[in-house]
Amino acid sequence: MVSLVARSYELMSLALALGALATPGAFGAKGRARCLVAAAAPDPIVNLVVERLQTQFARVELSYDPKQAESRAGYDLILLTGPPDGCPPLEAAWAGRSRAADAYVLKTLAHRPLTVAASGSDWRGSLFAAYRLMDLLALNEPLDTLDSYYRPLAPRRYALVPGTSHVGRFYRPMLFDRTVHELPRYGVNGLLIVPGDQAATPVGRDGLPMTTGDDGANTILHPQYEEWTQFLAQLKRLRYDIFLLLPTVTPPRFERGQVQAYYAGQGVLPGFEEALGPFAERFFETLIAQFPQIDGFILSSVEGGMYAGVPLFIGPEDASAATAASERSARALDLYLAAAERVQARTGKCFGFWTHRSGITSDGIRTMREVMARHPGIVNIEDDYWPNAGWVMQPLLGYLPAELRPAGAPGRRFGMFLITADGEYYGGGSLPTAYPDPAARAARYAVENQAEMVLFRVDLHDLTNHGTLFNIDEIIPLMAAAQLWMPTDPDDKIWTDWVRRRFGSAAAPHLVMALRSCGDLLHNGFVFQGLQLIERGTIGVGAWQTGAPTGQRRFALFAKPGTPLVDKKPGDLLVHNDYYATELNVRAGSINEYRRRLAAAHATARRDLAAIDAAKPYLASGDYVYLHGIYDNYLCVTEALALLGEAAWAANLNADNFDRQPDPRALFEKAATDLLAFSQRLTDERGPFLDPPLQAALSGIVEDYRHYVEAHAPTR
């Protein structure tokens, strides 16, 4: 297995090729500066700091005698790092400051030579301090008057880092390593690891090296086990907490189909509930015994693959079975969480439950939280926005009734999952998705409500080949993470510093305004009447077709203005697809408003493209190609959306000519012809565009609309 540290030189070369490293600061730009790193003791953290400083200094030396470091001459910078205990210069830097876990200090100690303390209350805090100092170097900020103290506002600040991108299609272990080495910049102190095929790890795409026999005995698999222990040990050397995401487990003597039917309210399954709790305990305890590096587990009803279990389906859409299914699933979840609490009490390991469940109903949401309330020792982890595609426009925690939101549940452990920090549903960095406001809002809410854990996900939905922390979506976790620390920089400073570090100070005056308009581009170009118009960076056939679920039926947005997509009263049962429409009371809108919004989106995108062109002389060639490409993609997709909206409107007019057009059938034929001509032009110019190809989606939608028109248009 290749060491994380050994890989970093290869990663550095890759980052330079992509234009993804920070612009060198003043010292590095001279190409002659010397830096001395002085630490009280050897530690992997020190090695990582030295390695990264080598990108900014011509020569970096290491000493383990910080007491004498200030007397050394010939250095442009002397960096004292590590915890303060037993080191008088660092203890002086910490005078009067609380040594909270992960807190750190940046303080100028002397000027000739320039000597700076980058010291944490512990080694992890020291790593955070060093990364912040290196960002100051990259930005050419003065270091002669530093005197800052930073402390975290949430104790567990974790990232879900997969070994894949493109929704699991591409296996990218090097991206995992590269991302792990960037996370100290965000003050992240833990990793959420997801065994299995979709998210994967650098060890491979298989699950954990453990199988369960029909008798319930757990067996460790070799040599995969040794690879896993090496992998976890490497992460521990970087001082990360390590959590595993685990779906619900199923006692092995019960067949998957039987359990699925049982959870769905069908048939009986004698002995299942009696076996569930004891089996779950043995399962958790085996993992803890075999993987002592693991600090805790986040349990889930479905996400993370089906490793060792069948998902709990609480509140199915089949109303006829809803009561029995809800009761059974609730009992199973109750037993499952009780087992986790018992193991937690015995071992001291932390357990959380991520409530995310695709397909859940409003009754199921309530039932799940009622069960969670009986287990206050388990961290209740809520998505910030759900369904997740609504993160651009939906209200924070809008899917939860007010009385079920964490703010209304004192005494319970609470976590917040910033689930779409990787730009999911809107292109994952392949379109202008640099919109941090929703994630930052969620992070502030988490802090205000004493969240124990705040998580964000990266890379899984990246569609750029760069990775979330190396494309324009980096600003999303960066802005959110900043809210978890005191002091918190103003948004304007975070934006400006990020653009300067990522693209260079000379390019920043042109790019800051352009990238900050991504929110407007998403709202005007990809959302109409509160409903998103695209699916994972392209136009999904299903949601635009006439037979799509009512709450997501984009075709219905172009019916008679004011017509609700979902007609629900307070207290009515909501199925998964209803939430998109009910949280914002989505109704059909006017075609003129749609045209206005798309025109505004195009004007903004063309203005931003001009700014990118103005910045071209100051950008790395790869950065210019990337930025120009995502805005060019945006113009293509929004042009397709403009034509698609016209076709949907014209098709609707054939059933109800609410806008009193003289010939709705001819209007539709023209709209369909224009849309297909655009699709052909796109094919001729670019070949297959987007993934899956946009052209195929448009052709399928036009065919569906034509059938609708033929079925509904008056006979000529």
Side-chain angles (χ1 to χ4, degrees):
M1 182 176 181
V2 180
S3 138
L4 290 172
V5 174
R7 278 185 180 165
S8 62
Y9 295 104
E10 183 182 5
L11 297 175
M12 193 182 301
S13 301
L14 175 63
L16 286 167
L18 294 174
L21 281 183
T23 304
F27 292 131
K30 294 177 182 178
R32 57 178 172 77
R34 297 176 67 199
C35 174
L36 175 66
V37 176
D43 193 274
I45 297 298
V46 179
N47 298 335
L48 179 58
V49 170
V50 168
E51 184 178 302
R52 289 182 69 92
L53 281 170
Q54 288 169 344
T55 68
Q56 296 180 307
F57 288 86
R59 184 174 178 181
V60 180
E61 299 175 17
L62 176 60
S63 167
Y64 291 114
D65 189 5
K67 296 178 183 178
Q68 300 299 319
E70 291 176 277
S71 63
R72 304 279 288 271
Y75 295 97
D76 296 273
L77 175 66
I78 295 175
L79 172 61
L80 273 62
T81 191
D85 296 329
C87 179
L90 295 182
E91 288 180 340
W94 275 90
R97 287 160 167 158
S98 169
R99 298 188 189 181
D102 294 346
Y104 64 90
V105 166
L106 289 178
K107 185 174 177 63
T108 304
L109 302 179
H111 296 92
R112 293 188 179 181
L114 179 61
T115 305
V116 173
S119 171
S121 61
D122 45 34
W123 274 111
R124 189 159 60 191
S126 299
L127 184 62
F128 299 155
Y131 269 60
R132 191 170 188 95
L133 179 66
M134 285 184 272
D135 277 351
L136 295 177
L137 286 167
L139 294 171
N140 293 317
E141 296 289 348
L143 306 182
D144 54 347
T145 59
L146 294 176
D147 189 11
S148 302
Y149 168 69
Y150 298 88
R151 64 178 178 85
L153 299 175
R156 302 181 190 270
R157 306 169 306 282
Y158 293 172
L160 190 164
V161 183
T164 60
S165 66
H166 295 72
V167 202
R169 286 178 55 201
F170 298 147
Y171 180 52
R172 305 182 64 194
M174 285 182 61
L175 178 60
F176 178 97
D177 291 355
R178 190 173 171 219
T179 298
V180 163
H181 281 84
E182 289 299 309
L183 288 174
R185 167 176 284 132
Y186 312 90
V188 168
N189 63 355
L191 301 176
L192 178 58
I193 304 299
V194 186
D197 179 65
Q198 185 181 48
T201 70
V203 181
R205 302 194 74 149
D206 296 329
L208 288 169
M210 188 173 82
T211 61
T212 302
D214 291 341
D215 60 355
N218 299 305
T219 302
I220 297 298
L221 303 177
H222 302 275
Q224 299 95 322
Y225 171 72
E226 285 72 22
E227 294 177 347
W228 266 89
T229 55
Q230 291 176 38
F231 163 61
L232 297 175
Q234 289 169 3
L235 297 179
K236 274 300 179 185
R237 284 197 287 272
L238 299 178
R239 297 304 201 282
Y240 284 118
D241 293 350
I242 301 174
F243 273 56
L244 285 186
L245 180 66
L246 295 176
T248 49
V249 295
T250 300
R253 64 186 178 89
F254 298 96
E255 295 180 0
R256 179 181 295 268
Q258 291 178 309
V259 177
Q260 288 175 326
Y262 180 73
Y263 282 154
Q266 302 163 8
V268 295
L269 200 56
F272 174 73
E273 292 184 4
E274 292 78 5
L276 180 58
F279 173 73
E281 283 192 61
R282 290 194 304 273
F283 184 80
F284 298 145
E285 289 181 333
T286 301
L287 287 177
I288 291 168
Q290 297 296 327
F291 301 100
Q293 305 93 340
I294 295 173
D295 298 285
F297 304 89
I298 293 179
L299 313 176
S300 170
S301 63
V302 63
E303 296 292 323
M306 293 300 102
Y307 177 70
V310 174
L312 285 165
F313 197 100
I314 299 181
E317 296 183 16
D318 180 3
S320 64
T323 301
S326 182
E327 291 175 353
R328 291 176 178 184
S329 293
R331 289 198 302 271
L333 179 60
D334 206 4
L335 294 166
Y336 187 55
L337 296 180
E341 279 189 311
R342 290 192 293 271
V343 174
Q344 180 172 256
R346 287 197 297 269
T347 65
K349 302 293 184 179
C350 177
F351 280 78
F353 185 81
W354 181 23
T355 57
H356 177 100
R357 180 60 172 102
S358 177
I360 198 168
T361 66
S362 53
D363 286 351
I365 284 177
R366 180 173 293 277
T367 298
M368 184 182 285
R369 274 62 181 187
E370 290 170 351
V371 174
M372 286 295 303
R374 296 198 288 271
H375 302 278
I378 304 294
V379 183
N380 176 17
I381 301 169
E382 299 285 0
D383 284 358
D384 49 358
Y385 304 94
W386 185 87
N388 300 144
W391 67 269
V392 166
M393 64 286 182
Q394 286 177 320
L396 178 64
L397 295 173
Y399 61 95
L400 286 177
E403 68 274 14
L404 297 182
R405 293 175 190 172
R412 286 169 53 190
R413 302 174 76 184
F414 158 51
M416 179 78 83
F417 207 143
L418 314 184
I419 187 59
T420 54
D422 54 7
E424 184 184 9
Y425 289 99
Y426 295 87
S430 65
L431 291 162
T433 45
Y435 182 40
D437 296 20
R441 186 183 311 122
R444 287 191 293 270
Y445 178 94
V447 169
E448 291 164 1
N449 289 280
Q450 294 80 50
E452 173 179 334
M453 185 183 296
V454 181
L455 308 98
F456 62 82
R457 185 186 64 201
V458 297
D459 294 345
L460 186 62
H461 292 270
D462 167 61
L463 301 180
T464 69
N465 294 323
H466 295 298
T468 302
L469 303 187
F470 310 98
N471 66 38
I472 63 168
D473 284 343
E474 183 196 3
I475 188 62
I476 301 176
L478 183 70
M479 185 72 74
Q483 315 307 311
L484 307 180
W485 287 82
M486 180 64 70
T488 304
D489 287 336
D491 289 1
D492 288 348
K493 177 173 172 52
I494 295 171
W495 266 103
T496 302
D497 285 355
W498 170 66
V499 174
R500 289 174 59 205
R501 171 175 60 78
R502 176 61 181 81
F503 298 105
S505 294
H510 303 285
L511 295 182
V512 171
M513 181 184 71
L515 292 174
R516 290 195 75 166
S517 70
C518 284
D520 291 337
L521 293 178
L522 293 177
H523 279 279
N524 283 330
F526 293 158
V527 177
F528 183 52
Q529 298 294 103
L531 191 66
Q532 90 280 5
L533 302 176
I534 66 171
E535 190 79 20
R536 294 201 166 100
T538 188
I539 295 174
V541 175
W544 273 93
Q545 288 186 326
T546 56
T550 54
Q552 292 188 68
R553 190 178 299 163
R554 290 153 196 170
F555 176 76
L557 292 172
F558 302 91
K560 184 176 181 180
T563 305
L565 265 67
V566 175
D567 188 13
K568 294 285 184 178
K569 302 183 293 298
D572 285 353
L573 179 73
L574 301 179
V575 300
H576 174 270
N577 292 309
D578 293 340
Y579 278 89
Y580 290 97
T582 55
E583 287 186 38
L584 291 172
N585 190 26
V586 175
R587 296 170 180 270
S590 75
I591 190 64
N592 288 332
E593 173 63 11
Y594 186 71
R595 292 166 178 161
R596 185 195 68 77
R597 293 176 69 87
L598 266 297
H602 270 242
T604 301
R606 294 190 183 283
R607 181 202 68 191
D608 295 343
L609 265 174
I612 291 166
D613 285 337
K616 183 178 181 180
Y618 314 109
L619 288 170
S621 59
D623 285 340
Y624 173 75
V625 170
Y626 168 57
L627 290 173
H628 195 279
I630 61 177
Y631 281 83
D632 189 48
N633 287 350
Y634 179 85
L635 288 172
C636 284
V637 175
T638 49
E639 184 176 355
L641 287 171
L643 294 169
L644 189 52
E646 296 288 344
W649 171 65
N652 271 288
L653 290 176
N654 279 271
D656 175 7
N657 191 6
F658 49 84
D659 277 340
R660 299 182 181 179
Q661 295 297 308
D663 191 344
R665 184 66 178 260
L667 191 66
F668 171 74
E669 293 301 334
K670 180 181 184 306
T673 299
D674 290 347
L675 188 57
L676 293 175
F678 166 80
S679 177
Q680 186 60 52
R681 174 168 58 85
L682 203 61
T683 300
D684 295 341
E685 293 176 356
R686 296 173 180 247
F689 180 67
L690 299 181
D691 185 17
L694 177 64
Q695 295 94 319
L698 297 179
S699 299
I701 294 167
V702 167
E703 182 179 358
D704 176 64
Y705 288 1
R706 195 176 299 283
H707 289 314
Y708 180 89
V709 169
E710 290 171 354
H712 291 84
T715 303
R716 295 198 178 205

